[in-house]
Amino acid sequence: MTIFPAHYSGPTLGEVGEHGTIEAIVAAAPSSRNGDDAAVLNHASPNSRAVATTDMLIEGRHFRADWSTPEEIGQKSIVQNFADVEAMGARPVAALLAVSAPLYTPVSYIRGIAAGIAERVGEYSAELVGGDLTAGDQLVLSVTAIGSLGGSRPELTLNRARPGQRVVAHGRIGWSAAGLALLRHFGREGVPGQFAPLVDAHCAPRLNPGRGVIARATGATAMTDNSDGLVVDLNTIARRSGVGIDLHSADIAPEPLLVEAAELLGADPWEWVLSGGEDHTLLATTAGDPPSGFRAIGRVVRGDGVSVDGAAPKYDYGWVSF
Amino acid sequence: MTIFPAHYSGPTLGEVGEHGTIEAIVAAAPSSRNGDDAAVLNHASPNSRAVATTDMLIEGRHFRADWSTPEEIGQKSIVQNFADVEAMGARPVAALLAVSAPLYTPVSYIRGIAAGIAERVGEYSAELVGGDLTAGDQLVLSVTAIGSLGGSRPELTLNRARPGQRVVAHGRIGWSAAGLALLRHFGREGVPGQFAPLVDAHCAPRLNPGRGVIARATGATAMTDNSDGLVVDLNTIARRSGVGIDLHSADIAPEPLLVEAAELLGADPWEWVLSGGEDHTLLATTAGDPPSGFRAIGRVVRGDGVSVDGAAPKYDYGWVSF
């Protein structure tokens, strides 16, 4: 049974009913497209294509009600889906939310999730356009993101990295894993204040909207996001492209805050950098200079797999669902 | 704990792992768009708009593993989503599937769900373009459907029914509820053979692809599908349009097979017709003749609510999730 924090009080889903709960969601994340059998999106720009992706988040597995606020859960659900849209070089335009929740869930908690979703989709000028609500044993969110891929350049698939190209990144690497390690050790209330940015990176990741579109417009060849782990995700690009990727240790070295957290926990910050996922940092390859907002972290080389300074990485595993 | 039928044997999700299970899904429902961060759809026809909807199905609540085969569960998950796309007058073009399943689930069972999805999306010339897979306590499917709304006619919203128009329907009414009642009474193996069409209507509903597009092209004004119950769903059109709807009892009278099932169970077949949902029958209003494949079942009138032959319906409730 999920324990919801005491300050999410008031009537429950069971008391308010399906329609009352839907009203609370729509009030927190309003959209004129919502409320019919299906949502109709805007006319897309000429020559554009729609992009779609989906992710399911389960309480106790992908988030914990005692570690994250519902607003953060909503934010994270959007960022991880929108990062997949951006990783194609596309612009997120809409999200759908299917929720299963126990009847004892406070409506205020679901409203918090919707408010977090509204905040993040608003940053992208996107909308929560529809969804579904059902009672269930577990709190389960299933978010679908729809994006628009404009213009004639190809989408940024995983298979177009070529030897000699730069490997570039937009966003932090290893911060989400560090935040998770701190939460596991201290619980949310106990994490020392200076590590708040690491906890935020885990509970409410944020990506600057539009970096994927910029990367595609300025010549990136392949792109993904760091969802399962730096080495694992780059290895997917390497395998699909038939190349190797060599990371430069100086360019991915853990920042002082990571080092400090690792010392406190007796951990190795390189494990967070190399194997930690859920940063949703955009990872791309390009024949040119790093796109605006991206920094170089390595090179595409002949061969296969991912190396660091030419040697096997110290940690090469990553997140798997099971 | 879900009991999977014995003939779905072989390795489980826990044994095969995430990647092996995804391979089984993709093999059963192949698409060249699948396997990147997000799926890129075809260029849509000029002047078209994307349409999106999502539904979550939970084992024990929306389907039962002892009543439905996994193939049927997959089929139903597509039809209920594609019906929502058709109810806008749009053409379904793609589906996404997020699955949560216990680790003891046989991979062959998940493959069966994917095969059922592939069969139904194929009937629409659509594809399963992406998804997500995670371990969880319950078997939960979350399907998103994306459609294409072409041309300049407005989409078929709920709020454009006008007095004097015909109410028309494409598909059976009450059959799914009758099938459910039979399953509750007899279990799947025990239902007398002559009622197989009713059980099929519940476990694996089918809709002729394209009827929603035809209705929109030939002047329908409002449309929905019978998912929560005939009176409830028509009442939504009536409320949103500011009109009343009068059904003609002769045009919705239960067919002999419904009457026979009701006699066997000591039930009233009119309850299935008026309050039974999940038929996913398209319900529309139109100023002209019924579109091809539709039949007239009533009239839009001044006033509010839904009546039958001018009187309050004998049953006016429907399905609510909780």
Side-chain angles (χ1 to χ4, degrees):
Chain A
M1 179 158 170
T2 301
I3 309 295
F4 296 104
H7 52 279
Y8 293 97
S9 54
T12 64
L13 266 55
E15 288 160 2
V16 165
E18 179 183 353
H19 293 294
T21 307
I22 291 173
E23 277 173 25
I25 293 173
V26 171
S31 168
S32 62
R33 298 173 211 288
N34 210 336
D36 217 296
D37 297 291
V40 179
L41 306 184
N42 278 351
H43 278 100
S45 51
N47 208 27
S48 69
R49 285 168 289 166
V51 167
T53 182
T54 191
D55 260 331
M56 194 177 261
L57 294 85
I58 301 181
E59 205 280 323
R61 178 171 295 270
H62 300 96
F63 63 88
R64 280 177 50 166
D66 56 337
W67 285 352
S68 297
T69 67
E71 288 77 7
E72 290 170 338
I73 294 162
Q75 289 167 4
K76 184 167 183 158
S77 75
I78 291 300
V79 168
Q80 70 181 61
N81 275 283
F82 279 13
D84 284 330
V85 170
E86 293 250 7
M88 304 306 290
R91 186 171 65 82
V93 297
L96 298 122
L97 168 70
V99 186
S100 153
L103 289 180
Y104 59 80
T105 308
V107 175
S108 60
Y109 196 87
I110 300 294
R111 188 187 297 121
I113 292 174
I117 287 175
E119 188 187 324
R120 278 292 188 272
V121 297
E123 292 174 4
Y124 289 81
S125 301
E127 286 173 56
L128 182 69
V129 298
D132 189 31
L133 175 68
T134 183
D137 298 347
Q138 273 186 298
L139 180 57
V140 179
L141 309 184
S142 185
V143 170
T144 298
I146 298 173
S148 174
L149 187 79
S152 55
R153 280 181 187 268
E155 63 269 29
L156 296 180
T157 51
L158 299 160
N159 60 359
R160 296 212 183 94
R162 296 292 175 263
Q165 295 177 345
R166 277 199 175 87
V167 179
V168 298
H170 167 73
R172 306 291 195 181
I173 298 173
W175 284 42
S176 178
L180 178 59
L182 290 161
L183 287 167
R184 282 200 172 122
H185 188 84
F186 292 108
R188 180 73 182 246
E189 297 307 315
V191 177
Q194 73 268 33
F195 299 125
L198 303 180
V199 172
D200 286 348
H202 180 73
C203 293
R206 179 171 236 139
L207 208 63
N208 284 348
R211 289 298 160 190
V213 174
I214 287 172
R216 177 164 166 260
T218 56
T221 51
M223 187 151 62
T224 190
D225 75 305
N226 176 12
S227 53
D228 295 339
L230 181 66
V231 171
V232 165
D233 287 317
L234 286 177
N235 204 43
T236 303
I237 286 185
R239 192 178 69 250
R240 296 282 192 94
S241 297
V243 298
I245 284 179
D246 187 47
L247 296 170
H248 302 162
S249 61
D251 297 327
I252 56 170
E255 291 94 338
L257 194 62
L258 279 197
V259 173
E260 189 187 344
E263 280 171 0
L264 183 67
L265 297 176
D268 181 353
W270 279 100
E271 184 173 10
W272 296 335
V273 167
L274 294 171
S275 76
E278 294 197 293
D279 288 313
H280 303 298
T281 287
L282 292 175
L283 304 168
T285 56
T286 178
D289 289 332
S292 168
F294 286 75
R295 64 191 186 280
I297 62 169
R299 282 280 179 187
V300 183
V301 296
R302 290 180 200 282
D304 56 23
V306 175
S307 55
V308 179
D309 299 339
K314 189 171 175 188
Y315 305 95
D316 64 359
Y317 48 84
W319 160 269
V320 283
S321 178
F322 58 85
Chain B
M1 179 159 171
T2 303
I3 308 295
F4 295 104
H7 53 278
Y8 293 97
S9 56
T12 64
L13 266 55
E15 288 160 3
V16 164
E18 180 183 353
H19 293 295
T21 307
I22 290 173
E23 278 173 25
I25 294 173
V26 171
S31 167
S32 63
R33 300 172 210 286
N34 209 336
D36 217 295
D37 296 291
V40 179
L41 306 185
N42 278 350
H43 278 99
S45 52
N47 208 27
S48 71
R49 286 170 288 167
V51 167
T53 182
T54 191
D55 261 330
M56 193 177 261
L57 294 84
I58 302 181
E59 204 279 324
R61 180 171 294 271
H62 300 97
F63 63 89
R64 279 177 51 167
D66 57 337
W67 285 351
S68 297
T69 67
E71 288 78 7
E72 289 170 338
I73 295 161
Q75 290 166 4
K76 184 167 184 160
S77 74
I78 291 300
V79 168
Q80 72 180 59
N81 275 283
F82 279 13
D84 284 330
V85 170
E86 292 250 8
M88 303 306 290
R91 186 172 64 83
V93 296
L96 298 119
L97 168 70
V99 185
S100 154
L103 289 180
Y104 59 79
T105 309
V107 176
S108 59
Y109 196 87
I110 301 294
R111 187 187 299 122
I113 292 174
I117 287 175
E119 187 186 325
R120 278 292 187 272
V121 297
E123 292 174 3
Y124 288 81
S125 301
E127 286 173 56
L128 182 68
V129 298
D132 189 29
L133 175 69
T134 183
D137 299 345
Q138 271 186 300
L139 180 58
V140 179
L141 309 184
S142 185
V143 170
T144 299
I146 299 174
S148 174
L149 187 78
S152 54
R153 279 180 187 269
E155 63 270 28
L156 296 180
T157 51
L158 298 161
N159 60 359
R160 295 211 184 94
R162 296 292 174 263
Q165 295 177 345
R166 277 200 175 86
V167 179
V168 298
H170 167 73
R172 305 291 194 180
I173 298 173
W175 284 42
S176 177
L180 177 60
L182 289 162
L183 287 167
R184 283 202 172 120
H185 188 83
F186 292 107
R188 180 73 183 246
E189 297 307 316
V191 177
Q194 73 267 33
F195 299 124
L198 303 179
V199 172
D200 287 348
H202 180 73
C203 294
R206 180 172 236 136
L207 209 62
N208 284 348
R211 288 298 160 191
V213 174
I214 287 172
R216 178 165 166 261
T218 55
T221 51
M223 187 153 61
T224 191
D225 75 303
N226 175 12
S227 52
D228 295 338
L230 180 67
V231 171
V232 165
D233 288 316
L234 286 177
N235 204 43
T236 303
I237 286 184
R239 193 179 68 250
R240 296 282 192 92
S241 297
V243 298
I245 285 179
D246 187 47
L247 296 171
H248 302 162
S249 61
D251 297 326
I252 56 171
E255 291 94 338
L257 194 63
L258 279 196
V259 173
E260 189 188 344
E263 279 172 1
L264 184 65
L265 296 176
D268 180 353
W270 278 100
E271 183 172 11
W272 297 335
V273 167
L274 294 172
S275 77
E278 293 197 293
D279 287 314
H280 303 297
T281 287
L282 292 175
L283 304 168
T285 55
T286 178
D289 289 331
S292 168
F294 287 74
R295 66 192 184 280
I297 62 169
R299 282 280 178 187
V300 183
V301 296
R302 291 179 200 282
D304 56 23
V306 175
S307 56
V308 178
D309 299 338
K314 188 170 175 188
Y315 306 96
D316 64 359
Y317 48 84
W319 160 267
V320 285
S321 179
F322 56 85

